[in-house]
Amino acid sequence: MPLEQATVHVEDRGFQFADGVYEAIRTYGGKPFALDEHLARLNRSLEGIKLTPPLSVAQWTEIVYEAIRRGGFAETVVYIQVTRGVAPRHRRFPKNAQPTVVMTVRECPPASDAPLEHTARIITVDDFRWSLCHLKTVALLASVLAYQQAKEAGADDAVFVEPDGTVMESTAGNLFVIKDGKVKTPPLGNKLLAGITREKFIEAARSLGIPCAEAPVTRNELFAADEVCLTSTTVELMPVIEIDGRPIGNGKAGPVTAAMFHQFHKLYAGV
Ligand SMILES: Cc1ncc(COP(=O)(O)O)c(C=O)c1O
């Protein structure tokens, strides 16, 4: 149905408590990219908030394909949200509520013909999120506030730094640093999301013979890096050219970033 006709109940627990999880999936060549991985992560997120999956993987797959077909776009971004449903406002889990399932489809803007020319300036912020960042929940207020802080500082995004000085991820993407031809990305844990794109870029780097470690990255290493970039489903890869006002590299995407980007497209995006 048209978006303006879709409504959610005021007592939906997603609205009242951010009691829900989500996924965002994109298509390449009209086909959902890494759908199995996204659905597996959706199930992990549901399990993490103790919500029984309302649909099986086969059912999700069917309606994702159907939604893409009905949207009729050249390339699509499919957004799925599942909440614990509608119930009188109380913290305890409702006994008989049906999960609310929302799926939207939007046109995915065509990949730019000069994608690596879009670059980002970022700031570092203390990680004031919680310890369930590995679940893709709709509780995104900390992410919203950090993003706004970045914008107000004249930057494009923020990366979260732990009390021990290690860096986790940006508000909506995973982080890669490159030093002396070697790639590093923070290891999985409860302070970052296991990005599907992160996984694919690790594979892309390794398939080129570029060493790629999943190991802690400190804030100081960011400033000393030759190249830094962020990855996510819709953005793919964003070269970072400035962090907290200090330049990274020479103001454009570096050679390893570019190689990884082209390999990613060759392997997965059919370009
Ligand atoms: C906090 C966070 N980290 C990382 C990512 C990247 O995940 P993916 O590559 O699966 O889109 C996202 C995506 O929205 C995110 O919100």
Side-chain angles (χ1 to χ4, degrees):
M1 63 175 72
L3 208 48
E4 9 1 302
Q5 284 174 22
T7 56
V8 175
H9 197 286
V10 167
E11 287 201 304
D12 191 278
R13 291 176 65 95
F15 179 64
Q16 294 287 349
F17 297 124
D19 187 357
V21 301
Y22 74 107
E23 271 302 321
I25 304 146
R26 71 172 297 153
T27 62
Y28 285 117
K31 298 223 163 49
F33 174 59
L35 182 58
D36 290 349
E37 288 97 319
H38 281 281
L39 294 177
R41 188 172 65 187
L42 178 62
N43 277 341
R44 290 201 302 276
S45 297
L46 286 166
E47 192 186 334
I49 68 161
K50 301 184 165 65
L51 185 51
T52 308
L55 296 171
S56 68
V57 167
Q59 287 169 320
W60 282 120
T61 303
E62 195 180 323
I63 62 169
V64 165
Y65 272 89
E66 177 66 9
I68 292 166
R69 193 189 65 74
R70 288 202 211 173
F73 304 116
E75 298 291 6
T76 308
V77 180
V78 180
Y79 175 86
I80 296 173
Q81 182 169 328
V82 183
T83 78
R84 208 177 306 275
V86 176
R89 190 181 184 285
H90 194 288
R91 279 169 179 68
R92 71 168 167 261
F93 287 2
K95 282 222 168 64
N96 299 314
Q98 292 298 316
T100 302
V101 175
V102 166
M103 183 181 290
T104 63
V105 286
R106 289 174 190 274
E107 181 154 31
C108 185
S112 154
D113 49 7
L116 292 169
E117 304 213 337
H118 297 282
T119 53
R121 297 179 158 77
I122 62 174
I123 59 167
T124 58
V125 295
D126 290 340
D127 196 347
F128 53 99
R129 302 174 302 167
W130 63 348
S131 53
L132 297 176
C133 297
H134 59 302
L135 307 178
K136 200 163 167 67
T137 82
V138 296
L140 292 173
L141 181 56
S143 167
V144 166
L145 293 175
Y147 187 83
Q148 185 63 21
Q149 189 183 331
K151 284 288 161 191
E152 286 173 15
D156 303 295
D157 205 344
V159 290
F160 292 107
V161 183
E162 303 312 302
D164 69 358
T166 56
V167 191
M168 288 298 154
E169 59 180 347
S170 69
T171 63
N174 292 108
L175 175 81
F176 285 79
V177 296
I178 295 133
K179 181 75 180 167
D180 299 329
K182 295 196 188 102
V183 182
K184 194 155 82 156
T185 189
L188 298 182
N190 66 335
K191 295 299 291 189
L192 57 80
L193 187 73
I196 309 297
T197 322
R198 169 189 179 279
E199 212 57 54
K200 301 295 176 188
F201 269 103
I202 293 173
E203 284 172 23
R206 290 179 182 161
S207 74
L208 288 171
I210 300 170
C212 182
E214 296 179 67
V217 174
T218 66
R219 183 170 178 270
N220 285 340
E221 280 178 87
L222 285 186
F223 299 123
D226 298 327
E227 305 173 38
V228 174
C229 56
L230 302 171
T231 64
S232 70
T233 292
T234 47
V235 173
E236 298 178 334
L237 178 145
M238 177 65 73
V240 172
I241 57 156
E242 193 182 288
I243 303 176
D244 292 339
R246 303 194 218 174
I248 304 295
N250 62 359
K252 4 185 240 201
V256 177
T257 302
M260 282 168 62
F261 178 81
H262 293 303
Q263 181 72 351
F264 173 88
H265 268 256
K266 197 169 126 195
L267 291 177
Y268 309 112
V271 174

